[in-house]
Amino acid sequence: MKLISIIICIITIVNVVSALNSPRSILSNNRIYNNSKVKATTATSPDTAAKDDKIGWDSHKAIDEIPETLVRTIDGNDSMRRKFELACRTAQTDICKAIEEIDGAGKFTSDAWVRENGGGGISRVLSGGKTFEKAGVNLSVVYGTMPKEALQAATERGVDRAKGMKEGDRVPFFACGLSSVMHPKNPFAPTMHFNYRYFETDGGVWWFGGGTDITPSYLNEDDMKHFHGAYKKTCDKHDPEFYSKFKSWADKYFVIAHRGETRGLGGIFYDDLNDRDPEKLLALAIDNLATVVPAYGPIVTKHKDDPFTQAQKEWQLIRRGRYVEFNLVYDRGTVFGLKTGGRIESILMSLPETARWEYNHIPTPGSEEDKILQIFKNPRDWV
């Protein structure tokens, strides 16, 4: 475990340096974590920036009681900011309750924090359960300013939200998101991730993003048809073109470029959506959040007690290592959180408690491990 900790630290340091020097070279992801500002994110006047926002690595104040809302009162209960936070908080409660029932023993622990300039977060984490090694569902509400580089990291490649900004300029923003990762113990029960978020800048620009994806270690085609079918059904309620577009987006996004393979077997992913009434996009996010449990829960329930060998467990840990590589090198939420002074425990909540890096591991041709690896290299349709 010490070796894994060292590897993670090294990868993180490399990622931060790379992100600061070449923000456009990073693939990007969709998780919005509680964040704001960090000195290291601005090359022009970091000390001034941190002093202005009063937020950074150590600016999160723990609280004993969770407030009714983390959105500033001045924003109003009818604002999209408050509506989206309420949707996320409702989903957080419902999903945690369902996962506890599936686990059968583990319970989520909660901690909450606020920031002096507004916003905060609620983390709920289950560790060492009967079914789940680790499961987390994090809510964050963020007020801050971010440099052009962070704004680019928070949006899809090719979408210029920083147009007209000068080098060193910072834009005031609001972000709210619910992010989750579930790591089951059994190698035949897949890992699942979701994130849904809403962004606004004080300049009046707004957009929605989100997605849910699945990462099995072993292929079960019926499971993949069920998972993708559930999200196709939900997406079709809102737009018949959404699922195929979002599925393709996920396949292209969740790529571990230096391995030439995907992180998992996809799902849906979208970002920078503001092409229709925001109420309709809010409804899309709410329905997608409501699909998490029916899409994923039956798969875990089906496989949580499957027998497995030590070799199969080791393969699962190798695939978890790939998961760590993606999250620390390419993940948009990680990059955004590090650039804006996010709470580290929340940013790194997505990482599994155990993982494995075996030198030059190549599965036996024709094996079950090789079978799924070929699909990681060549994504396919499931519905």
Side-chain angles (χ1 to χ4, degrees):
M1 290 304 296
K2 289 183 178 179
L3 177 60
I4 293 176
S5 298
I6 292 171
I7 291 172
I8 290 175
C9 289
I10 291 173
I11 294 175
T12 303
I13 292 170
V14 171
N15 180 42
V16 174
V17 173
S18 174
L20 293 175
N21 290 333
S22 305
R24 291 175 182 255
S25 69
I26 296 175
L27 283 183
S28 334
N29 183 20
N30 57 331
R31 272 176 228 134
I32 302 311
Y33 297 98
N34 44 1
N35 43 54
S36 292
K37 176 165 332 236
V38 58
K39 288 187 190 179
T41 61
T42 182
T44 53
S45 181
D47 293 327
T48 301
K51 189 179 298 183
D52 289 344
D53 265 3
K54 297 180 181 180
I55 39 183
W57 302 108
D58 58 352
S59 65
H60 314 89
K61 179 183 177 182
I63 53 177
D64 294 329
E65 295 186 8
I66 299 174
E68 182 179 345
T69 179
L70 293 167
V71 173
R72 291 171 180 168
T73 304
I74 194 173
D75 288 335
N77 289 332
D78 293 330
S79 68
M80 183 55 68
R81 298 180 178 192
R82 178 68 178 110
K83 290 178 181 179
F84 197 83
E85 185 211 19
L86 180 59
C88 289
R89 292 179 73 151
T90 300
Q92 184 184 42
T93 298
D94 293 345
I95 291 169
C96 288
K97 179 180 179 181
I99 294 301
E100 285 182 345
E101 292 176 355
I102 292 171
D103 187 273
K107 298 295 181 182
F108 283 88
T109 60
S110 299
D111 61 329
W113 64 95
V114 293
R115 296 187 184 85
E116 185 177 343
N117 70 324
I122 304 169
S123 286
R124 292 184 177 171
V125 178
L126 183 157
S127 294
K130 181 180 179 181
T131 299
F132 292 94
E133 177 183 280
K134 184 181 182 183
V137 187
N138 285 354
L139 168 73
S140 61
V141 175
V142 186
Y143 292 88
T145 66
M146 57 182 156
K148 179 170 67 173
E149 293 83 2
L151 183 58
Q152 290 168 338
T155 55
E156 178 65 14
R157 287 167 60 88
V159 178
D160 189 4
R161 301 295 189 201
K163 186 176 182 180
M165 291 179 61
K166 299 177 182 178
E167 196 67 33
D169 283 354
R170 306 183 70 85
V171 56
F173 75 94
F174 166 88
C176 177
L178 187 68
S179 180
S180 174
V181 176
M182 310 281 179
H183 292 292
K185 292 181 176 181
N186 195 297
F188 295 103
T191 287
M192 184 275 301
H193 154 261
F194 72 80
N195 170 268
Y196 292 91
R197 63 201 177 280
Y198 174 70
F199 263 92
E200 276 187 21
T201 70
D202 283 9
V205 177
W206 60 267
W207 67 94
F208 291 81
T212 307
D213 61 280
I214 195 164
T215 304
S217 298
Y218 288 93
L219 177 63
N220 183 300
E221 295 200 16
D222 288 341
D223 293 346
M224 295 306 99
K225 290 176 181 178
H226 169 79
F227 181 83
H228 283 267
Y231 273 97
K232 183 179 187 304
K233 182 178 180 180
T234 297
C235 287
D236 285 351
K237 287 171 53 181
H238 297 269
D239 189 317
E241 296 183 359
F242 272 169
Y243 173 75
S244 60
K245 179 181 178 180
F246 295 167
K247 194 272 183 185
S248 176
W249 210 333
D251 288 341
K252 293 175 182 177
Y253 171 67
F254 290 106
V255 173
I256 309 170
H258 60 273
R259 298 283 188 181
E261 61 194 51
T262 58
R263 186 177 74 176
L265 296 184
I268 62 168
F269 173 78
Y270 60 91
D271 209 353
D272 297 290
L273 286 190
N274 65 355
D275 62 344
R276 61 198 71 195
D277 188 319
E279 294 291 342
K280 292 183 178 180
L281 296 177
L282 171 63
L284 172 66
I286 291 173
D287 285 351
N288 281 329
L289 283 167
T291 304
V292 168
V293 173
Y296 179 61
I299 297 174
V300 177
T301 300
K302 175 182 175 182
H303 295 292
K304 64 181 182 178
D305 295 319
D306 285 358
F308 59 87
T309 66
Q310 179 61 29
Q312 289 167 336
K313 182 65 179 180
E314 290 175 359
W315 171 248
Q316 179 197 40
L317 296 181
I318 288 173
R319 292 313 306 176
R320 283 186 179 175
R322 298 293 200 268
Y323 202 95
V324 170
E325 290 176 26
F326 179 88
N327 283 28
L328 292 179
V329 179
Y330 303 113
D331 182 79
R332 182 175 297 171
T334 302
V335 173
F336 183 74
L338 291 173
K339 282 178 172 292
T340 54
R343 182 175 182 262
I344 296 302
E345 289 300 315
S346 297
I347 296 172
L348 301 183
M349 177 276 295
S350 64
L351 302 183
E353 291 186 356
T354 56
R356 180 183 179 93
W357 283 265
E358 184 176 321
Y359 180 74
N360 197 30
H361 182 273
I362 301 175
T364 302
S367 66
E368 291 302 309
E369 293 80 9
D370 180 64
K371 183 179 179 180
I372 195 168
L373 181 60
Q374 298 311 312
I375 301 178
F376 292 147
K377 293 179 179 292
N378 301 282
R380 52 169 283 191
D381 292 332
W382 301 102
V383 292

